[in-house]
Amino acid sequence: QNMDHPSNPLQKEMQDFIKLCVDGNVEKIRSILDSKGNKKSRRTFLSQHLASGETCAHVAARFGQAEVLELLLARGFPVDLVD
């Protein structure tokens, strides 16, 4: 599913989440991932691929956001995903 041009609310949320990863907003990312009742979104945020094939972890790494990447891994980012 192409996340580069959001057409539904989940896609918009995913784009917003990716921007947080790019910007290194660790506290907001932690808040989103740890919020109650957010398990489905959490799985989506951690495993969804952009049209480019990247995930939020790939984006965080590309932009040098080591603390974001550590948080994503600590919250269950699947390390076997490839871009």
Side-chain angles (χ1 to χ4, degrees):
Q1 202 172 24
N2 184 336
M3 289 288 166
D4 292 341
H5 300 287
S7 60
N8 70 45
L10 183 57
Q11 287 178 330
K12 172 71 170 112
E13 287 179 38
M14 185 63 194
Q15 266 203 338
D16 291 346
F17 189 79
I18 292 292
K19 176 143 179 37
L20 295 172
C21 292
V22 168
D23 294 343
N25 193 332
V26 175
E27 292 308 314
K28 182 67 175 171
I29 293 168
R30 182 177 288 116
S31 174
I32 290 169
L33 294 178
D34 292 348
S35 64
K36 290 183 178 183
N38 200 23
K39 279 191 171 185
K40 183 178 181 186
S41 292
R42 179 176 168 174
R43 281 193 305 272
T44 298
F45 291 151
L46 293 177
S47 63
Q48 184 66 52
H49 286 77
L50 300 171
S52 65
E54 292 181 301
T55 64
C56 56
H58 294 126
V59 171
R62 183 163 48 96
F63 283 90
Q65 301 294 353
E67 193 174 354
V68 170
L69 188 53
E70 288 173 12
L71 175 62
L72 296 174
L73 292 171
R75 294 303 188 274
F77 177 79
V79 295
D80 58 346
L81 287 178
V82 295
D83 65 2

